[in-house]
Amino acid sequence: MFPYPHRHLLAIEGLEPPYIADLLDLAENYALLNRQGKTQRDLLKGRTLINLFFEDSTRTRTSFELAGKRLGADIVNMSVSTSSVNKGETLLDTASTLNAMKTDLLVIRHGQSGAPALLAQKLDAAVINAGDGTHEHPTQALLDALTIRRRKGTLEGLTVAICGDVLHSRVARSNIHLLLAMNCRVRIVGPPTLIPAEAAALGVEVHHSMKTGLADADVVMMLRLQKERMTNGLVPSAREFFRFYGLDAEKLAHAKPDSIVMHPGPMNRGVEIDSAIADDPVRSVIGEQVEMGVAVRMAVLDVLARGLRRNA
Amino acid sequence: MFPYPHRHLLAIEGLEPPYIADLLDLAENYALLNRQGKTQRDLLKGRTLINLFFEDSTRTRTSFELAGKRLGADIVNMSVSTSSVNKGETLLDTASTLNAMKTDLLVIRHGQSGAPALLAQKLDAAVINAGDGTHEHPTQALLDALTIRRRKGTLEGLTVAICGDVLHSRVARSNIHLLLAMNCRVRIVGPPTLIPAEAAALGVEVHHSMKTGLADADVVMMLRLQKERMTNGLVPSAREFFRFYGLDAEKLAHAKPDSIVMHPGPMNRGVEIDSAIADDPVRSVIGEQVEMGVAVRMAVLDVLARGLRRNA
Amino acid sequence: MFPYPHRHLLAIEGLEPPYIADLLDLAENYALLNRQGKTQRDLLKGRTLINLFFEDSTRTRTSFELAGKRLGADIVNMSVSTSSVNKGETLLDTASTLNAMKTDLLVIRHGQSGAPALLAQKLDAAVINAGDGTHEHPTQALLDALTIRRRKGTLEGLTVAICGDVLHSRVARSNIHLLLAMNCRVRIVGPPTLIPAEAAALGVEVHHSMKTGLADADVVMMLRLQKERMTNGLVPSAREFFRFYGLDAEKLAHAKPDSIVMHPGPMNRGVEIDSAIADDPVRSVIGEQVEMGVAVRMAVLDVLARGLRRNA
């Protein structure tokens, strides 16, 4: 799909299926190079990549940092506590600073939905959303899709059950958009308190029971349960949650015998997923998700860098 | 001015005007290379640059990190909370550690005035002061001077008004020394509580009104107002401060019609500067200051590295 | 000693003396290259080194980072507060993440004894223990041994007194194992509350007086006294501790006239060591220890990388 139609990667919603497929193909190629220990250091040579994290995330930051290093970029990590940046104007001042420093690629995680899009309007750099509020986390959805495609051969026609705290999950939101775009049948499964009101309008099936939600599913995607959900009354207790919505062998038996199990990490073992399932060498693809994470981020950096003018 | 007469950059006070001019010329050249997306990675190849920050400053640290990377240095960030380093001896032990690790270039920010000079006495490395207490912040003054020179063609004979909390500002102190050395007419403008007692002795004009202070100025340089100044009684309130000393269109009208507006960032919009002025595309050069920051730091690293023996 | 018999460096205990000697020889070579300002960037080119620190240690982390950079590795720092990782399972999930990211070399510091060994069982990467609980800190013992060997020509037959808080010191434990393996005579010196019960079983002499403990010693190795030891009653006060066990000229007079003084840093001057002794240019080798630290870590990274398959 040349030339690529997007300067930034802010959300999955609205991306063209052929563009998504191109990103996945390119990422698959990087996954192969990574396994062979090969790098492509000339691709981003002389490019400045800034990791701007307003929320802590060692895992995602590290994944982007490795992706950028393997492509030869100069990488600077900027960790900022949100407390010091609590005004909209200040975020725009940050944009102006990043422009003046000749940033080429900006990876941003921010607690407020829409912050990356706001920055993208003001920045010369290509902006990659690494998670914004409860909005989207597009590279997570891409790495999930790549992992599924490698295991199932295709995304087309698969039944995917996304389970747990869908309401607060940007991971779920990005996955729903991507999987629907690629013609999956998407179900969301969880207690009524954790299912967004607009769910049905998105074109997904809503289930409140793991039994019906997982029935004949090809993919079971568990979400992380934030601890604070238990203290604010949305979930009675970790034990109760596990009993009804935690993935164990009994519940997984409702899915297809060759179904795969996913989790974006970090896991709360014994809360949303049983350890035996998480560590199942055949069904669990959790490690492969992390591996594909680096590959997908390399593909995204590569594609967006092609859209940058060499000399601003 | 060869050979360069200084091993370190600890302060602007005492620097020879031709040395300052050389640094600005070199920085101007780096600014051009940066706009062209060109790097000079061989210049500091194999050199170890350590960013030692005892006070948080994402902006300044990032600027030095980018400058060092574009010249090919190996860069290690050491962030240290001052609490763990509260004795003079320990700072000297740090110096001894940095020597033993074969540090070539040390960038240091420290809450105590004089800490970089103390380290410089003990270190084999070239030391660059990135801000020490209320003493100096020399690279900030250099980047301000370069920004002015690019806009005005020269520094010679310009009238520069430095406004706000001059008393606590190392930025103001460095700028006063540099601008006087380069034959500017320097005014400081602020309430009596925020003007240092020794101001007149420095050779600057003191104004307590923006009207007289900005009259016919070529350059209006605003300073950041630290929040804590308001809680300790030096300033009645942000609103009162803005009314009398915040830069808005009405006050700026006293300066020359082609005057430029500067701020070292990060800004408190609505406290020391009005948003409309900060974002004025013609008068405000705040973005250019950040851009010149990287260029000036490249020039400083370059010049100081020339003074290092290749093999210690 | 080819091929090298160890995939990881988890502890000194159990290492073969010829392997230790090889590491020291290689490190000595790197020390020479470092003094000449030479690097060997091709050695770890394309290799990913992750610094995973669950406890803060700017000094050790920086030393490993410099070592890795001088050998050309891609380095990512992951600082994790132990609070977020308080379950055994989670450490294994971290292992799985690091595997999926194709980590080649993992440097880990952790508050729990045995954490690096646990990770090593699950990781494809070579694991280097950078300090675990009160267990071991093997690169510290190697750098201490290299420093001694350079000053004394050999380790064989030397009398080494390790003084202070031996009970809680992983540095002491690693040194005891290494020095005994290399045929030193090892004494530990400290108040009964700070000497481990199993000391005698290790094959060391136990002394409660600096006078007898230091008598005719070739090497006096001081340990850092953790501040919390004084608040929990193990030590009456810093002043009392210094009077009986702090190293000053009077106590050092019992050691051989050409004995050397060591400290792993950072020092509590006036608590475990007198400033005049710490700064003695002839007797104190504290700066050289830091220098050898970088060299030893280069040697360890080099040797362990040789054991990695190029393409996993």
Side-chain angles (χ1 to χ4, degrees), chain A residues 53-91:
Chain A
F53 276 64
F54 292 89
E55 293 183 337
D56 266 351
S57 172
T58 305
R59 213 173 234 265
T60 303
R61 198 257 303 151
T62 300
S63 183
F64 273 107
E65 194 171 343
L66 285 173
K69 286 196 166 155
R70 288 186 184 154
L71 298 178
D74 288 334
I75 301 179
V76 174
N77 292 313
M78 295 174 78
S79 292
V80 193
S81 66
T82 316
S83 63
S84 73
V85 193
N86 44 17
K87 295 187 205 163
E89 306 116 313
T90 315
L91 191 62

Side-chain angles (χ1 to χ4, degrees), chain B residues 45-48 50 74-80 87 89-90 92-94 96-98 100-104 310-312, chain C residues 34-39 41 58-59 61-63 65-66 69-70 227 267-269 271 275 279 286-288 290-291 294:
Chain B
K45 199 174 169 182
R47 292 294 190 191
T48 297
I50 293 195
D74 288 332
I75 301 178
V76 175
N77 292 313
M78 296 174 78
S79 291
V80 193
K87 296 187 205 164
E89 307 115 313
T90 314
L92 296 183
D93 287 340
T94 301
S96 148
T97 298
L98 294 169
M101 288 180 176
K102 305 295 171 214
T103 306
D104 294 301
R310 188 70 220 181
N311 304 327
Chain C
N34 285 341
R35 289 209 173 170
Q36 293 170 341
K38 289 181 189 160
T39 52
R41 308 221 171 232
T58 304
R59 216 171 231 267
R61 198 259 302 152
T62 300
S63 184
E65 194 171 343
L66 285 173
K69 286 196 166 158
R70 287 184 186 156
K227 297 262 165 68
M267 288 182 274
N268 295 306
R269 290 164 178 263
V271 179
S275 270
D279 299 333
I286 295 170
E288 192 169 336
V290 176
E291 182 185 350
V294 178

Side-chain angles (χ1 to χ4, degrees), chain B residues 86-159:
Chain B
N86 44 18
K87 296 187 205 164
E89 307 115 313
T90 314
L91 192 61
L92 296 183
D93 287 340
T94 301
S96 148
T97 298
L98 294 169
N99 269 343
M101 288 180 176
K102 305 295 171 214
T103 306
D104 294 301
L105 294 149
L106 179 76
V107 174
I108 176 176
R109 168 163 293 197
H110 198 285
Q112 285 183 290
S113 303
L118 186 65
L119 272 181
Q121 289 172 24
K122 300 287 175 181
L123 271 182
D124 302 326
V127 176
I128 298 154
N129 179 4
D132 63 329
T134 57
H135 175 227
E136 283 228 28
H137 187 358
T139 56
Q140 178 71 42
L142 287 165
L143 73 89
D144 287 339
L146 180 57
T147 306
I148 297 170
R149 207 179 71 168
R150 285 163 61 97
R151 289 292 178 124
K152 294 292 167 194
T154 180
L155 293 165
E156 191 83 28
L158 296 179
T159 298

Side-chain angles (χ1 to χ4, degrees), chain C residues 150-166:
Chain C
R150 285 163 60 97
R151 288 293 177 124
K152 294 291 167 196
T154 180
L155 293 165
E156 191 82 28
L158 296 180
T159 297
V160 181
I162 304 176
C163 312
D165 180 5
V166 179

Side-chain angles (χ1 to χ4, degrees), chain C:
Chain C
M1 196 182 193
F2 291 97
Y4 290 115
H6 303 287
R7 275 188 60 211
H8 308 290
L9 178 64
L10 302 174
I12 296 295
E13 186 176 11
L15 292 189
E16 303 79 0
Y19 182 70
I20 294 172
D22 277 359
L23 287 174
L24 298 181
D25 291 346
L26 189 58
E28 178 123 40
N29 193 38
Y30 278 119
L32 184 66
L33 291 176
N34 285 341
R35 289 209 173 170
Q36 293 170 341
K38 289 181 189 160
T39 52
Q40 295 226 351
R41 308 221 171 232
D42 286 338
L43 247 157
L44 297 186
K45 199 173 170 181
R47 292 293 190 192
T48 298
L49 185 163
I50 294 195
N51 273 325
L52 181 64
F53 277 65
F54 292 89
E55 293 182 338
D56 265 352
S57 171
T58 304
R59 216 171 231 267
T60 303
R61 198 259 302 152
T62 300
S63 184
F64 273 107
E65 194 171 343
L66 285 173
K69 286 196 166 158
R70 287 184 186 156
L71 299 178
D74 288 332
I75 301 178
V76 175
N77 292 313
M78 294 173 79
S79 293
V80 193
S81 66
T82 316
S83 62
S84 72
V85 194
N86 43 19
K87 296 188 206 163
E89 308 116 309
T90 315
L91 192 62
L92 296 185
D93 286 340
T94 302
S96 147
T97 299
L98 294 168
N99 269 342
M101 287 178 175
K102 306 291 171 217
T103 306
D104 294 302
L105 296 148
L106 179 76
V107 174
I108 176 175
R109 168 163 291 196
H110 199 283
Q112 286 183 289
S113 302
L118 186 64
L119 272 181
Q121 289 172 25
K122 300 286 175 182
L123 271 182
D124 303 324
V127 176
I128 299 154
N129 178 4
D132 62 331
T134 57
H135 175 226
E136 284 228 26
H137 188 358
T139 56
Q140 179 71 41
L142 287 165
L143 74 89
D144 288 338
L146 180 58
T147 307
I148 297 169
R149 207 179 73 167
R150 285 163 60 97
R151 288 293 177 124
K152 294 291 167 196
T154 180
L155 293 165
E156 191 82 28
L158 296 180
T159 297
V160 181
I162 304 176
C163 312
D165 180 5
V166 179
L167 180 62
H168 303 91
S169 174
R170 53 197 179 201
V171 171
R173 204 167 310 269
S174 287
N175 264 302
I176 289 169
H177 288 299
L178 191 150
L179 295 167
L180 289 175
M182 303 310 271
N183 297 317
C184 292
R185 187 175 164 198
V186 181
R187 297 179 189 156
I188 58 179
V189 190
T193 50
L194 295 179
I195 297 292
E198 77 277 20
L202 290 171
V204 303
E205 290 174 28
V206 176
H207 292 258
H208 297 307
S209 128
M210 291 287 273
K211 185 174 176 182
T212 64
L214 266 56
D216 293 317
D218 297 285
V219 177
V220 182
M221 189 182 285
M222 304 308 298
L223 300 172
R224 178 175 172 78
L225 187 71
Q226 311 289 331
K227 297 262 165 68
E228 58 268 32
R229 306 303 172 220
M230 278 170 266
T231 55
N232 64 11
L234 292 175
V235 172
S237 74
R239 198 173 153 190
E240 283 296 288
F241 185 83
F242 182 74
R243 189 174 151 214
F244 289 104
Y245 295 101
L247 188 66
D248 56 17
E250 194 188 327
K251 299 193 193 84
L252 184 56
H254 299 296
K256 284 198 184 146
D258 64 348
S259 62
I260 58 172
V261 173
M262 310 181 79
H263 192 292
M267 288 182 274
N268 295 306
R269 290 164 178 263
V271 179
E272 70 259 359
I273 192 165
D274 183 59
S275 270
I277 302 294
D279 299 333
D280 182 317
V282 178
R283 308 288 286 271
S284 167
V285 297
I286 295 170
E288 192 169 336
Q289 287 174 273
V290 176
E291 182 185 350
M292 293 308 120
V294 178
V296 153
R297 280 148 192 149
M298 291 171 82
V300 169
L301 293 175
D302 177 357
V303 162
L304 295 184
R306 293 184 205 183
L308 295 170
R309 280 169 301 157
R310 189 70 219 178
N311 304 327

